[in-house]
Amino acid sequence: MLQFFFITGLLILTCTRSFCQTVNQKYEIDIAGFRVGTMTVAQITSPGSVVYDQVSDVEFWFFGKIKVYYKTVSRHDPTSRQLLHSDIDALSNHGNYQSDIIWKKDHYDINVRQYKYERKAIEPNPIDFTTMRLYFEEPVGRTRVFAEYFGDYATIEPTKKGSYRIRIDDREDEYFYVKGKLVKIIKKNPIKNFVIRSIE
C-alpha cells in the first residue's frame, strides 16, 4: 500500500508491502530553442490510490536570473479516479508559494496561492479529470479539465488530430499527442513561449 507523510507542506510517498506500479515521463523545457530546465512526471498506482507526482526545475536569465522549482502531488481514488488531494509547492527567487485542494466528504476546500495568483473557493462536485492526468491520457471527448495550479476548471478544445488547446482566464496551452502519448506542450507567454518536449 502507499503511505503518505506530510513534512513542511510536501507530500512524501512510500510504497510498503504490497504492489506499486510506477510509470515515469521525462521532459525538457525550452525557451527560444534553448534548454532551460527539466520536468519529470510519475503515475504511481497501488490498490489504494493513484498518485501523480510532478517536479519541474527551471533556471534562465531574463533581466536577471529566474529560478523556479515546482512540485505537484495529486492523489486520486483508484476506482472512480476522483481527485482526493492535491498539494502544490513552488520555490523561486520571487518567493515560495503553497496550495492545496482537499476533498472533505461532500466538497473540496480550494486554497491556491501562487505567484501573482490566489484563489479560495469551495467546489461541491467531485473532480474526475485533472491536468496531471493529461501527461498520461489523451483527453479524447473531454471539454474541460481541472487545473490544480489555478484551483479551477479550464476548457479543452481539439484543434486537429492529437492536438488540444487548454484555456483558463487569459492563459493558453497546447498539448500534442502521438498515438495517445503526450509528446509536447506549448505554454503560451506574451514574451516567449515555453516548450515542453518528451525526451523518451
Side-chain angles (χ1 to χ4, degrees):
M1 62 183 294
L2 279 179
Q3 291 183 335
F4 299 88
F5 301 95
F6 288 90
I7 301 174
T8 61
L10 295 176
L11 181 60
I12 309 300
L13 308 175
T14 61
C15 289
T16 60
R17 290 195 313 176
S18 69
F19 158 86
C20 275
Q21 181 181 22
T22 302
V23 179
N24 292 300
Q25 306 275 26
K26 295 182 180 179
Y27 301 88
E28 66 178 16
I29 303 170
D30 298 341
I31 300 177
F34 295 96
R35 182 170 171 168
V36 297
T38 59
M39 176 188 293
T40 59
V41 189
Q43 177 183 263
I44 307 162
T45 304
S46 77
S49 66
V50 178
V51 175
Y52 297 91
D53 187 321
Q54 176 195 46
V55 174
S56 64
D57 196 356
V58 173
E59 184 175 331
F60 62 97
W61 187 269
F62 184 74
F63 299 107
K65 181 183 282 189
I66 296 176
K67 184 172 176 61
V68 180
Y69 176 88
Y70 180 77
K71 181 177 178 67
T72 301
V73 179
S74 289
R75 182 166 62 95
H76 296 244
D77 182 275
T79 304
S80 67
R81 304 304 295 275
Q82 179 187 337
L83 174 66
L84 301 176
H85 181 205
S86 186
D87 192 74
I88 307 156
D89 288 89
L91 312 176
S92 77
N93 54 348
H94 290 292
N96 300 332
Y97 303 91
Q98 199 276 331
S99 304
D100 57 50
I101 300 158
I102 304 174
W103 177 249
K104 295 286 187 74
K105 294 186 178 180
D106 62 357
H107 71 276
Y108 291 94
D109 283 344
I110 299 172
N111 295 286
V112 172
R113 181 176 172 268
Q114 297 296 336
Y115 180 63
K116 294 186 177 180
Y117 182 85
E118 292 189 18
R119 184 170 193 259
K120 286 186 177 290
I122 290 174
E123 170 59 51
N125 299 310
I127 296 166
D128 70 345
F129 195 73
T130 72
T131 49
M132 293 294 284
R133 288 178 60 182
L134 289 172
Y135 289 94
F136 299 92
E137 300 173 46
E138 185 175 347
V140 177
R142 293 190 178 267
T143 58
R144 68 177 190 166
V145 59
F146 189 83
E148 289 100 328
Y149 181 90
F150 295 98
D152 206 352
Y153 281 97
T155 60
I156 301 175
E157 178 190 349
T159 56
K160 56 185 179 181
K161 185 177 180 180
S163 175
Y164 302 85
R165 184 177 294 119
I166 311 293
R167 286 180 175 157
I168 184 167
D169 294 333
D170 60 346
R171 309 285 185 98
E172 180 179 307
D173 299 338
E174 283 190 88
Y175 284 67
F176 299 87
Y177 294 81
V178 174
K179 296 181 179 179
K181 177 180 172 60
L182 179 63
V183 295
K184 183 171 70 172
I185 304 168
I186 299 176
K187 290 192 165 290
K188 303 294 181 67
N189 187 285
I191 301 170
K192 286 289 182 182
N193 292 341
F194 285 73
V195 180
I196 301 170
R197 303 177 193 276
S198 172
I199 55 176
E200 291 187 335

